[in-house]
């Protein structure tokens, strides 16, 4: 078997580690779990979900299977579809599938949250270096 796909530079492990540093700092400041912060952050990254119309009786099972892929794979019920007997689900992709631009957006969103909570973050130069390593 042969698979052909567009080459993308993978995000760095440093960027992923820093993402989790930020998540843990925010969680500590807000006194909620890092998983809650991570899942909320996933919802705020543009273009990382699919809207899926699914039969009402299959919706809950689909959500369970989708979310079993990992911590960052939320599936949100948007309510009844315009299709009779269907519901619309918004199925989000976890950050392990993100392009470098999506990962940069995730980290930038977390940095904004940290700044709003007066949490210390890396300098602009260090962040630019981290982001620049992907490009």
């Amino acid at each position: 078997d042969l698979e052909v796909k567009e080459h993308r530079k993978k995000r760095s492990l440093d960027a992923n580690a820093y993402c989790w540093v930020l998540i843990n700092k925010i969680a500590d400041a807000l006194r909620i779990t890092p998983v809650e912060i991570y899942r909320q952050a996933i919802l705020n990254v543009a273009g990382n979900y699919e809207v899926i119309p699914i039969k009402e009786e299959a919706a809950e099972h689909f959500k369970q299977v989708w979310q079993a892929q990992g911590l960052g794979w939320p599936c949100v019920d948007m309510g009844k579809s315009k299709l009779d007997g269907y519901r619309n689900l918004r199925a989000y992709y976890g950050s392990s599938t993100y392009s470098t631009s999506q990962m940069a957006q995730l980290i930038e969103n977390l940095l904004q949250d940290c700044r709003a909570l007066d949490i210390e973050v890396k300098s602009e130069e260090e962040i630019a270096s981290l982001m620049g390593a992907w490009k």
Side-chain angles (χ1 to χ4, degrees):
D1 292 337
L2 177 66
E3 180 180 354
V4 178
K5 58 183 173 180
E6 180 182 348
H7 173 74
R8 288 187 182 173
K9 190 164 184 177
K10 295 190 181 211
R11 65 191 185 167
S12 73
L13 294 179
D14 289 343
N16 192 57
Y18 191 53
C19 177
W20 281 98
V21 166
L22 298 173
I23 287 168
N24 280 288
K25 286 182 175 189
I26 295 166
D28 189 46
L30 297 178
R31 299 184 188 270
I32 59 178
T33 69
V35 171
E36 289 177 82
I37 298 298
Y38 176 59
R39 286 183 177 152
Q40 185 59 45
I42 292 293
L43 301 178
N44 294 325
V45 174
N48 73 326
Y49 66 85
E50 303 291 337
V51 175
I52 301 168
I54 192 162
K55 287 186 176 183
E56 287 185 357
E57 60 270 16
E60 193 55 41
H61 178 69
F62 179 89
K63 281 177 62 175
Q64 289 173 1
V65 171
W66 184 267
Q67 293 176 148
Q69 294 180 82
L71 296 175
W73 292 75
C75 188
V76 178
D77 189 330
M78 298 170 56
K80 288 187 180 269
S81 170
K82 64 182 178 182
L83 303 171
D84 193 36
Y86 282 73
R87 300 192 72 71
N88 284 331
L89 302 180
R90 188 178 298 145
Y92 290 84
Y93 296 103
S95 63
S96 61
T97 68
Y98 283 9
S99 66
T100 54
S101 63
Q102 287 173 313
M103 193 66 183
Q105 183 183 4
L106 175 64
I107 291 173
E108 185 54 43
N109 291 347
L110 292 167
L111 287 166
Q112 288 176 15
D113 291 345
C114 284
R115 291 177 187 123
L117 294 166
D118 205 25
I119 295 170
E120 187 175 331
V121 297
K122 289 182 184 243
S123 71
E124 292 298 325
E125 294 79 27
E126 290 173 302
I127 293 166
S129 174
L130 185 71
M131 301 293 194
W134 299 336
K135 296 178 177 157

